[in-house]
Amino acid sequence: MQPQGGVVSGQRQDGSLLRPAVPSNDGFHNETIPSAPLADEGAEGRPSDEKGVSRMASLNRVILAGNITRDPEIRFTGQGVPVCGFGLAVNRVRSKDKDAVDFFDVSVWREQGEAVANHKKKGDPILVEGRLQYRTWEAQDGSKRSKVDVVAESVQFLGGGASNGSSE
């Protein structure tokens, strides 16, 4: 569906861009972005480095709330740093009658990892905030494998019971 008046979707008639609605203290609102490049931006309106090469902004952030699928396991690196690993199931509603479940492997480091390992178990609800990490390795049969994991930077214990609390 084409917008009326020859205006590109997300762009006002004066040429300024319309940023999608973002949460604010007074509800949701839209913000206007100037259409002309800023001083540190290249001709395409993207930030550029000292050589004038345009670079895209990047963001690697994930927030997941779900249930732990296997009891958390604590391990220690060669330097003695604790890391806790567990699986996370996140329900996703696809339609009124159909649900889907996404499964993620999560790593939580240091004190937060120890807290998860000591206080959470399979089936417990948890909220994880962190980043995605892509890793590759060679399997024993010589094939190349790859996987995307969640590396938690903050966890919050959800639900009732004695193990309810926050670890940050």
Side-chain angles (χ1 to χ4, degrees):
M1 182 170 127
Q2 288 287 3
Q4 293 182 343
V7 177
V8 177
S9 179
Q11 186 175 10
R12 295 193 173 149
Q13 287 185 341
D14 65 0
S16 62
L17 300 177
L18 183 65
R19 184 178 294 171
V22 294
S24 68
N25 292 339
D26 60 346
F28 283 85
H29 67 278
N30 291 318
E31 294 183 26
T32 302
I33 304 171
S35 60
L38 300 174
D40 68 337
E41 295 179 338
E44 296 86 26
R46 285 181 257 168
S48 57
D49 61 14
E50 59 277 351
K51 296 178 185 175
V53 176
S54 292
R55 55 186 160 80
M56 295 290 293
S58 61
L59 176 67
N60 182 355
R61 202 85 185 133
V62 63
I63 300 173
L64 300 169
N67 295 320
I68 296 174
T69 61
R70 62 181 185 273
D71 286 335
E73 296 178 8
I74 191 92
R75 297 178 322 235
F76 294 88
T77 67
Q79 292 80 25
V81 178
V83 59
C84 176
F86 61 91
L88 185 67
V90 179
N91 293 324
R92 179 171 33 104
V93 178
R94 294 178 54 180
S95 67
K96 289 182 182 180
D97 299 330
K98 296 182 181 178
D99 287 344
V101 181
D102 296 314
F103 295 94
F104 302 94
D105 285 328
V106 180
S107 297
V108 187
W109 291 79
R110 297 181 176 77
E111 291 83 13
Q112 288 187 90
E114 290 179 313
V116 171
N118 291 331
H119 301 289
K120 302 311 278 180
K121 64 185 181 320
K122 179 180 177 176
D124 286 347
I126 194 165
L127 183 131
V128 174
E129 183 175 353
R131 62 185 168 82
L132 299 177
Q133 180 174 301
Y134 178 77
R135 57 188 184 100
T136 60
W137 70 96
E138 189 172 310
Q140 290 180 349
D141 64 2
S143 63
K144 294 192 181 231
R145 304 284 177 114
S146 63
K147 183 176 186 177
V148 176
D149 293 321
V150 176
V151 178
E153 294 167 0
S154 174
V155 296
Q156 187 172 16
F157 298 165
L158 303 175
S163 65
N164 188 26
S166 178
S167 174
E168 300 204 27

